[in-house]
């Protein structure tokens, strides 16, 4: 498995496919999106209060940036063909709302659909790509998620490229989030069209859904690189359908996969435990590491027991011991599996403690449906395995 790991690592660096060069999302985007918790119940008030909470809770300082309104903000097109926001829910339209989000030191994101209508039946961007890109730029939008409902007969690479080109000409840096659920192999063309692309269908707030997405999205690690990321969907942390152990696993696995970290809970009312999880700076640093390599499964000591590893810029490895079983158990990661040789310091990223210096493996007790996440740093004098 280690050889496969090295091959994928090399592929990540030497891949010849050109990457979209809009200078954005050099590390996986971080922010919040309305869909997972609020569905169609979006409003300017919710967005303003969320921006306030993002600043007040410490999330902004932890790196969260984009406040993204998902489906249902739009109701029609005006006579000039411009998208019109729901005037009851967004009085004054989107521009003042974007200004408000910006005034909080945050960035503003919005949603559309590459087809004729959005998933909730609102006007889609098909045939209005240039107009919509210009409109979003005028409003001060910094991030656009483009969905794939009602796109029968259309070709995903073509439609997404059309809107991507329109965004590039719109005169404002805008992160482009492709959302066609992995149905047209976006890991092949996504890197030169957008900054991130969904790899799967929608996440549900359940352990089985989160794990199924992990297994699918991790197959495309070679496509991820600075500016271009696999998107295993938004976070469910804090939405109530999983235990705290499961949410810690969810957050750790998204970080080790270098996934976009888009919170999907109600930031205004979240308990301290949820806030502490979402703002764990040591885990976030793994996600945001500058070399931008997606971690992968490197060891499976027994059924349902896994070791995931992500190489980091300073030569260390982030490692997640994942217990998918329903019984607490011990999991060990060997240096060989993670590509290290010799003494290395181990730091626990959830308890924030130094565990010690080990010579060839690290093992820990892992709760059912839980993780232990560590950073393993070679001690000077020993080095990476030379194989
Ligand atoms: C699709 C997307 C979701 C969300 C909804 C909105 O299902 O995959 O992330 O945007 O549409 O209708």
């Amino acid at each position: 498995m280690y050889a496969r790991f090295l091959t994928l690592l090399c592929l990540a660096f030497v891949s010849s496919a050109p990457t979209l060069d809009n200078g954005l999302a050099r590390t996986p985007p971080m922010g919040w999106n309305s869909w997972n918790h609020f569905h169609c119940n979006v409003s300017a008030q919710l967005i303003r209060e969320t921006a306030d909470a993002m600043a007040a809770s410490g999330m902004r300082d932890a790196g969260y940036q984009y406040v993204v309104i998902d489906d249902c903000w739009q109701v029609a097109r005006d006579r000039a063909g411009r998208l019109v926001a729901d005037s009851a829910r967004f009085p004054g339209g989107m521009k003042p709302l974007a200004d408000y989000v910006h005034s909080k030191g945050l960035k503003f994101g919005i949603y559309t659909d590459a087809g004729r209508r959005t998933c909730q039946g609102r006007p889609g961007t098909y045939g209005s790509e240039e107009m919509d890109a210009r409109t979003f730029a005028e409003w001060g939008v910094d991030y656009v998620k483009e969905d794939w409902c009602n796109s029968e007969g259309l070709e995903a690479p073509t439609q997404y490229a059309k809107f991507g080109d329109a965004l590039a000409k719109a005169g404002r840096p805008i992160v482009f989030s492709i959302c066609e659920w992995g149905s047209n192999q976006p890991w092949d063309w996504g890197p030169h069209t957008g900054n991130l692309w969904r790899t799967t269908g929608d996440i549900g707030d359940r352990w089985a859904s989160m794990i199924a997405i992990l297994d699918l999205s991790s197959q495309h690690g070679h496509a991820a690189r600075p500016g271009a990321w696999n998107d295993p969907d938004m976070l469910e942390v804090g939405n109530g359908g999983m235990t705290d152990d499961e949410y810690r696993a969810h957050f750790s696995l998204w970080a080790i996969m270098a996934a976009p970290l888009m919170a999907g809970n109600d930031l205004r009312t979240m308990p301290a435990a949820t806030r502490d999880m979402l703002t764990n700076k040591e885990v976030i640093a793994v996600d945001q590491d500058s070399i931008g390599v997606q971690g992968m499964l490197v060891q499976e000591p027994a059924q349902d027991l896994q070791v995931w590893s992500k190489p980091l810029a300073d030569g260390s490895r982030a490692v997640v011991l994942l217990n998918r079983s329903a019984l607490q158990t011990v999991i060990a990661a060997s240096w060989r599996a993670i590509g290290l040789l010799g003494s290395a310091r181990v730091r626990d990223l959830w308890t924030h403690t130094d565990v010690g210096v080990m010579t060839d493996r690290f093992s820990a007790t892992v709760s059912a449906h839980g993780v232990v996440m560590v950073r393993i740093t070679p001690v000077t004098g020993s080095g990476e395995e030379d194989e």
Side-chain angles (χ1 to χ4, degrees), residues 295-311:
M296 61 176 294
L297 175 65
V298 294
Q299 217 178 350
E300 225 165 354
Q303 196 186 349
D304 287 339
L305 309 184
Q306 298 183 331
V307 178
W308 292 76
S309 173
K310 178 185 197 290

Side-chain angles (χ1 to χ4, degrees), residues 35 70-71 111 119-120 145 147 149 179 181 198 202 233-234:
W35 184 253
D70 207 277
D71 208 348
Y111 162 103
C119 294
Q120 304 304 316
K145 167 177 170 181
D147 216 337
C149 280
C179 177
W181 323 305
R198 280 274 297 279
D202 290 6
D233 207 358
M234 292 135 353

Side-chain angles (χ1 to χ4, degrees), residues 188-371:
D188 289 339
W189 48 270
H192 52 92
T193 304
N195 296 108
L196 59 156
W197 53 90
R198 280 274 297 279
T199 48
T200 71
D202 290 6
I203 193 169
D205 188 13
R206 297 178 310 278
W207 173 258
S209 166
M210 186 275 286
I211 286 291
I213 288 180
L214 168 75
D215 290 343
L216 288 170
S217 207
S218 58
Q219 294 171 21
H220 310 294
H222 60 278
R225 67 201 76 152
W229 310 100
N230 286 302
D231 175 8
D233 207 358
M234 292 135 353
L235 296 164
E236 291 285 10
V237 175
N239 278 334
M242 295 189 231
T243 65
D244 279 356
D245 275 342
E246 291 175 336
Y247 280 139
R248 255 190 300 276
H250 175 21
F251 195 65
S252 304
L253 291 163
W254 261 229
I256 208 134
M257 286 198 290
L261 297 179
M262 302 298 285
N265 58 318
D266 188 346
L267 302 188
R268 304 166 307 173
T269 57
M270 67 181 159
T274 301
R275 183 204 56 211
D276 291 351
M277 221 179 274
L278 287 170
T279 56
N280 182 330
K281 291 190 180 163
E282 293 193 88
V283 173
I284 291 172
V286 169
D287 181 77
Q288 296 289 302
D289 186 77
S290 61
I291 57 172
V293 176
Q294 180 169 330
M296 61 176 294
L297 175 65
V298 294
Q299 217 178 350
E300 225 165 354
Q303 196 186 349
D304 287 339
L305 309 184
Q306 298 183 331
V307 178
W308 292 76
S309 173
K310 178 185 197 290
L312 303 174
D314 65 357
S316 64
R317 302 283 186 272
V319 170
V320 168
L321 309 179
L322 169 64
N323 180 1
R324 301 161 67 128
S325 83
L327 289 175
Q328 176 172 301
T329 189
V330 173
I331 303 180
S334 73
W335 279 197
R336 186 176 169 74
I338 62 174
L340 293 181
L341 190 66
S343 299
R345 264 186 299 115
V346 179
R347 181 168 173 81
D348 189 311
L349 305 188
W350 282 108
T351 62
H352 306 295
T353 52
D354 293 325
V355 185
V357 174
M358 323 276 160
T359 53
D360 62 350
R361 68 213 301 266
F362 166 69
S363 64
T365 302
V366 189
S367 58
H369 285 192
V371 294

Side-chain angles (χ1 to χ4, degrees), residues 15-21 187-194 223 225 228:
S15 175
S16 56
T19 303
L20 171 68
D21 189 18
W187 36 86
D188 289 339
W189 48 270
H192 52 92
T193 304
R225 67 201 76 152

